[in-house]
């Protein structure tokens, strides 16, 4: 079983204290940009495929181009022992396709959130500006209602 990515930090000199702080890796299970890129093109995977022999993933067109008219090539991943990589050993990498889509959705959501936060900051600044203008006015009481002059 895979362990949860966390560590414990003691806040006191004695490790037996009950005041340990557990630090969780909040990005556990989240793909990095580099993991979404083909090692052949250094671009994001397009039509990801994987070898049925060594499970390495490539962009389909890049692999086709690399194999070209050859019968087989050595897997381009450094240290891989697969010396007979052929197009017959290739299958669609459904998991990587989903991971790339999820990565781009997360990127878009992050952009949207940052944009909303920027808009909210502008609205708060605008609101605070109106408040400071209105606070300079003197209130009048008219039949139990406060009216600003």
């Amino acid at each position: 079983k895979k362990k949860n990515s966390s560590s414990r930090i003691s806040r006191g000199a004695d490790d037996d204290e009950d005041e340990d702080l557990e630090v969780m890796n909040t990005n556990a299970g989240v793909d990095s940009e580099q993991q979404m890129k083909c090692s052949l093109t250094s671009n994001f995977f397009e039509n990801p495929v994987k070898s049925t022999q060594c499970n390495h993933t490539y962009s389909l067109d890049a692999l086709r181009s690399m194999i070209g008219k050859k019968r087989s090539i050595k897997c381009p991943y450094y240290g891989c022992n697969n010396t007979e990589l052929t197009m017959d050993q290739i299958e669609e990498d459904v998991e990587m396709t989903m991971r790339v889509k999820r990565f781009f959705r997360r990127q878009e959501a992050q952009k949207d959130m940052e944009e909303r936060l920027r808009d909210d900051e502008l609205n708060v600044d605008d609101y605070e500006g109106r408040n400071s203008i209105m606070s300079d006015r003197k209130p009048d009481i008219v039949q139990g209602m406060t009216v600003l002059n």
Side-chain angles (χ1 to χ4, degrees), residues 39 56 74-81:
S39 64
H56 289 129
K74 182 181 182 327
C75 176
Y77 277 81
Y78 179 77
C80 183
N81 294 327

Side-chain angles (χ1 to χ4, degrees), residues 16-31:
D16 293 333
E17 289 185 15
D18 289 334
E19 296 183 20
D20 287 345
L21 175 66
E22 187 165 354
V23 179
M24 300 294 291
N25 180 356
T26 57
N27 289 326
V30 176
D31 293 312

Side-chain angles (χ1 to χ4, degrees), residues 2-147:
K2 193 174 184 179
K3 286 189 172 182
N4 190 0
S5 178
S6 69
S7 59
R8 296 185 70 79
I9 301 172
S10 178
R11 294 191 309 179
D14 186 2
D15 284 338
D16 293 333
E17 289 185 15
D18 289 334
E19 296 183 20
D20 287 345
L21 175 66
E22 187 165 354
V23 179
M24 300 294 291
N25 180 356
T26 57
N27 289 326
V30 176
D31 293 312
S32 72
E33 183 173 321
Q34 191 59 38
Q35 292 171 310
M36 300 298 103
K37 292 186 175 183
C38 175
S39 64
L40 302 177
T41 64
S42 297
N43 295 323
F44 289 102
F45 282 110
E46 293 181 18
N47 301 317
V49 293
K50 68 179 176 180
S51 164
T52 57
Q53 303 301 306
C54 60
N55 286 324
H56 289 129
T57 301
Y58 326 88
S59 288
L60 177 60
D61 289 342
L63 185 62
R64 272 191 185 137
S65 177
M66 186 171 229
I67 291 178
K69 296 188 189 288
K70 300 175 189 167
R71 193 169 131 81
S72 67
I73 62 169
K74 182 181 182 327
C75 176
Y77 277 81
Y78 179 77
C80 183
N81 294 327
N82 186 1
T83 58
E84 298 292 321
L85 179 62
T86 66
M87 289 305 292
D88 292 337
Q89 298 173 357
I90 300 302
E91 66 183 14
E92 180 183 6
D93 191 340
V94 176
E95 180 183 350
M96 183 57 74
T97 300
M98 299 305 291
R99 289 171 61 193
V100 170
K101 286 179 182 178
R102 193 170 46 239
F103 176 82
F104 282 120
R105 279 196 309 265
R106 237 186 346 267
Q107 294 289 70
E108 280 300 312
Q110 180 71 27
K111 282 182 195 174
D112 290 346
M113 185 186 329
E114 288 170 0
E115 202 170 288
R116 281 196 306 273
L117 288 173
R118 256 192 319 277
D119 290 346
D120 287 348
E121 287 172 2
L122 291 174
N123 291 338
V124 167
D125 290 345
D126 186 44
Y127 174 77
E128 288 174 351
R130 278 194 309 247
N131 261 2
S132 66
I133 292 169
M134 294 178 83
S135 66
D136 294 339
R137 298 180 181 173
K138 295 178 185 173
D140 285 340
I141 306 286
V142 178
Q143 295 180 351
M145 294 176 52
T146 303
V147 179

